[in-house]
Amino acid sequence: MEVGKGISESDVSRAIIEGFTKDLMEYTRTDVVIVGSGPAGLTAAKFIAETGVKTLIIERNIYAGGGFWQGGYLFPKTVVEAPAQEILLDMGIEMEEVKPDLYVADSFKVVAKLLAAVADSGAKLLNSTYVDDLIYKGGRIGGVLVNWFPITQMPKFITCMDPIALESKVVIDATGHEASMATRAAKVLGFEIKGHGHLNVEEAEREVVKNTKEIAPGLITCGMATASVFGTPRMGPIFGGMILSGRKAAETALEILKSKAIAQER
């Protein structure tokens, strides 16, 4: 078989345009939108989507993975503590125990296998996309407004370009330290974003999992976004709490969707 025979440039363009447009049309209305594709967001996406729930991840960078790509000081090692390593081991990620209950792995292996697991679960990703605002109606968060992230880098006088709306039943803020979805919601609903505190690995890991919850109707925070909302310590380059927070966010989202379905049946 001769490579490329019978394939034109327009065939390639059509495949890209039709494929992307099909996905975008399908996800203008979805069950869960996860904003941010770092460790907490990706973990949440995997656990939600593998139940058959329609899940969309939105990432402003061209790549997914967030802080998982590097450890501290740009050294590409991912460190997690027990029991979070079990989640990674279940995905086939090799972990080395460096001391009791503390594990390390090559970052690229962690990201590659986690991204593959998320893709296999059925979740979709919109990269190079940022959330301009939240949809708020009927007393709850009902989706997001999105635009191309490169627009934010353009001169101010030409950036008045309207976003498009994507409806969802639940939004998960996995935007890290910025807690950008919670910050937007706080302006409308009048609650306080405290900002994360000092570095304290043990306390930070515990509190970020404990405080992963629905903070406003239809809005869940996880990972470092949770620490920023509740003013708990930062954790530095350790990811166990982030992974467990992502799983808890998934469980919370599924509970919300179940309660909404029951209410609709009634």
Side-chain angles (χ1 to χ4, degrees):
M1 178 179 178
E2 187 177 345
V3 176
K5 186 177 181 180
I7 298 174
S8 72
E9 289 76 10
S10 63
D11 291 330
V12 176
S13 296
R14 186 180 296 274
I16 294 170
I17 294 167
E18 289 182 346
F20 178 79
T21 304
K22 179 182 176 182
D23 286 345
L24 189 59
M25 289 288 288
E26 182 181 351
Y27 283 84
T28 54
R29 180 175 293 162
T30 188
D31 293 319
V32 179
V33 165
I34 300 171
V35 186
S37 67
L42 289 176
T43 304
K46 174 189 177 296
F47 281 105
I48 294 170
E50 68 185 10
T51 69
V53 170
K54 197 172 178 181
T55 307
L56 177 67
I57 310 163
I58 298 175
E59 171 58 54
R60 68 183 181 183
N61 287 310
I62 196 170
Y63 60 89
F68 255 161
W69 283 109
Q70 296 290 338
Y73 210 58
L74 296 182
F75 290 173
K77 292 290 182 178
T78 296
V79 177
V80 302
E81 77 287 12
Q85 90 283 357
E86 296 294 340
I87 295 174
L88 299 183
L89 289 171
D90 285 344
M91 297 182 208
I93 298 169
E94 299 172 358
M95 307 291 297
E96 177 187 355
E97 189 171 19
V98 293
K99 63 174 293 186
D101 294 333
L102 189 68
Y103 300 80
V104 67
D106 290 329
S107 296
F108 79 92
K109 288 184 179 180
V110 175
V111 181
K113 292 203 171 184
L114 178 55
L115 286 173
V118 172
D120 290 343
S121 74
K124 284 288 184 178
L125 170 72
L126 284 182
N127 64 326
S128 300
T129 301
Y130 82 104
V131 175
D132 185 63
D133 207 347
L134 293 166
I135 299 172
Y136 182 75
K137 62 182 180 181
R140 62 183 296 110
I141 305 300
V144 294
L145 302 181
V146 300
N147 218 327
W148 297 116
F149 180 69
I151 289 175
T152 66
Q153 311 303 307
M154 296 167 68
K156 293 292 183 183
F157 68 90
I158 58 172
T159 57
C160 186
M161 300 181 187
D162 286 334
I164 61 171
L166 306 177
E167 291 183 291
S168 68
K169 299 171 184 175
V170 177
V171 173
I172 297 179
D173 186 342
T175 60
H177 295 267
E178 295 178 13
S180 56
M181 299 302 99
T183 300
R184 286 173 170 80
K187 293 178 180 179
V188 175
L189 302 178
F191 60 85
E192 180 184 4
I193 304 295
K194 297 181 179 180
H196 66 77
H198 54 277
L199 180 68
N200 182 324
V201 171
E202 185 175 355
E203 184 181 353
E205 296 279 85
R206 180 178 64 249
E207 291 298 312
V208 78
V209 178
K210 172 186 171 184
N211 290 320
T212 295
K213 62 184 71 174
E214 185 180 29
I215 63 166
L219 178 64
I220 299 167
T221 59
C222 65
M224 278 307 301
T226 297
S228 291
V229 169
F230 290 94
T232 57
R234 64 187 298 166
M235 62 194 64
I238 188 168
F239 296 98
M242 306 287 279
I243 295 167
L244 295 172
S245 174
R247 183 175 67 181
K248 186 178 178 184
E251 293 167 350
T252 304
L254 293 172
E255 288 173 4
I256 293 170
L257 293 172
K258 183 179 179 181
S259 66
K260 283 177 66 66
I262 292 172
Q264 288 172 354
E265 289 175 1
R266 291 175 180 171

